[in-house]
């Protein structure tokens, strides 16, 4: 059964520093996608970054990058140059199947990130 | 472009009452998802539709929950009768299978409180 694990319930980081949020997954499907979402205190879910299982390079989106280690089944989110507005809950999620398939997301429990000024 | 629209944003009701949550997906998206978020269980999928057809409803808790998608621009999630344990934030999300990542775009959620 597919599973997503986020082992850090809460993290602190100093403003302008980089932070890594951990995510490990488990699936038997060779084709899958990994997502990170941000949920600020206002409650909305904001898509940040995507990594496909067959992607050769780690995904990057602005200050967000994904450290994808397929053999270890990990997909850690790296946020560079943290800003106060990065304080939020961060969720790792996985979808089995190829990119052209609609499919449900399985979410981890989330990591609450607090950025200190 | 308008994002996913959900109504109501907040709902307070009494146990036993019927509750209907509404969702309008992003125009052009062909997949629609209903999720529930609670402190205990986190974010979990209830049901999803592809081209208005229910594909996976294995997450629907019990017969008290039902969901419909009569057309591409509207979906409802109904709880009848509601119970206090149904209190949660209910998210609707949509995506299009032709998208680059096929990422899901979430609505603002409906916060349901059942007294």
């Amino acid at each position: 059964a597919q599973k997503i694990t986020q082992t850090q319930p809460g993290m602190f980081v100093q403003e302008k520093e980089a932070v890594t949020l951990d995510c490990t997954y488990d699936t038997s499907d060779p084709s899958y996608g990994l997502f990170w979402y941000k949920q600020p205190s206002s409650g909305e879910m904001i898509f940040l970054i995507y990594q496909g299982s067959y992607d050769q390079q780690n995904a990057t989106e602005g200050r967000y990058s994904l450290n994808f280690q397929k053999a270890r089944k990990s997909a850690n989110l790296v946020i560079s140059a943290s800003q106060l507005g990065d304080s939020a809950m961060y969720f790792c999620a996985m979808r089995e199947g190829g990119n052209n398939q609609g499919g449900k997301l399985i979410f981890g429990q989330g990591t609450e990130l607090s950025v200190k000024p | 472009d308008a994002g996913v629209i959900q109504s109501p944003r907040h709902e307070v009701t009494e146990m036993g009452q019927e509750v209907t949550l509404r969702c309008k997906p992003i125009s052009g998206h062909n997949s629609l998802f209903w999720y529930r978020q609670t402190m205990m269980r986190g974010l979990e999928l209830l049901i999803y539709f592809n081209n208005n057809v229910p594909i996976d409803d294995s997450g629907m808790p019990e017969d008290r929950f039902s969901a419909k998608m009569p057309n591409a621009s509207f979906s409802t999630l109904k709880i009848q009768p509601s119970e206090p344990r149904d209190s949660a934030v209910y998210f609707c999300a949509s995506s299009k299978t032709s998208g680059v990542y096929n990422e899901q775009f979430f609505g603002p959620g409906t916060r349901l409180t059942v007294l």
Side-chain angles (χ1 to χ4, degrees):
Chain A
Q2 50 181 315
K3 186 179 178 181
I4 293 283
T5 303
Q6 294 180 254
T7 57
Q8 306 152 313
M11 289 278 289
F12 288 92
V13 65
Q14 204 69 34
E15 192 178 9
K16 299 182 185 178
E17 292 186 350
V19 63
T20 298
L21 307 184
D22 295 342
C23 173
T24 58
Y25 60 92
D26 190 20
T27 179
S28 56
D29 194 329
S31 180
Y32 52 89
L34 298 158
F35 300 78
W36 278 91
Y37 282 82
K38 172 184 178 182
Q39 186 176 40
S41 58
S42 52
E44 72 267 34
M45 295 286 288
I46 303 166
F47 166 70
L48 296 178
I49 195 167
Y50 167 85
Q51 181 83 44
S53 58
Y54 294 118
D55 292 345
Q56 295 297 311
Q57 292 187 325
N58 287 341
T60 61
E61 288 287 348
R63 294 187 298 112
Y64 304 108
S65 60
L66 207 152
N67 184 0
F68 181 46
Q69 299 189 41
K70 196 169 181 177
R72 291 187 174 186
K73 293 189 174 180
S74 75
N76 299 338
L77 177 70
V78 180
I79 305 175
S80 63
S82 297
Q83 301 172 357
L84 296 178
D86 294 334
S87 294
M89 198 76 169
Y90 288 81
F91 290 95
C92 180
M94 178 175 65
R95 182 190 63 222
E96 289 184 336
N99 220 22
N100 60 352
Q101 300 178 27
K104 65 182 181 184
L105 293 178
I106 303 297
F107 285 88
Q109 288 299 309
T111 294
E112 186 167 7
L113 177 67
S114 297
V115 180
K116 295 181 175 180
Chain B
D1 288 342
V4 175
I5 299 172
Q6 290 187 249
S7 64
R9 294 293 306 277
H10 301 272
E11 177 81 25
V12 180
T13 190
E14 292 189 345
M15 183 173 63
Q17 296 298 306
E18 177 179 296
V19 174
T20 299
L21 310 182
R22 296 173 177 79
C23 175
K24 177 179 170 56
I26 293 173
S27 178
H29 283 193
N30 61 337
S31 294
L32 184 139
F33 306 81
W34 283 101
Y35 291 92
R36 179 172 67 175
Q37 185 177 32
T38 62
M39 289 294 292
M40 291 296 295
R41 300 176 64 90
L43 269 158
E44 51 183 351
L45 179 82
L46 299 176
I47 185 171
Y48 86 90
F49 298 83
N50 197 36
N51 295 323
N52 311 338
V53 176
I55 302 299
D56 184 349
D57 65 354
S58 59
M60 295 287 264
E62 49 201 88
D63 292 345
R64 297 185 299 107
F65 285 68
S66 63
K68 293 182 180 180
M69 191 165 186
N71 57 61
S73 58
F74 184 65
S75 177
T76 59
L77 178 68
K78 187 175 294 186
I79 309 173
Q80 166 63 20
S82 58
E83 296 182 2
R85 60 188 167 128
D86 301 331
S87 297
V89 178
Y90 291 80
F91 286 102
C92 177
S94 70
S95 69
K96 58 180 179 179
T97 50
S98 59
V100 176
Y101 303 138
N102 199 358
E103 72 269 31
Q104 295 178 19
F105 293 84
F106 282 71
T110 294
R111 183 174 294 277
L112 174 65
T113 302
V114 183
L115 304 174

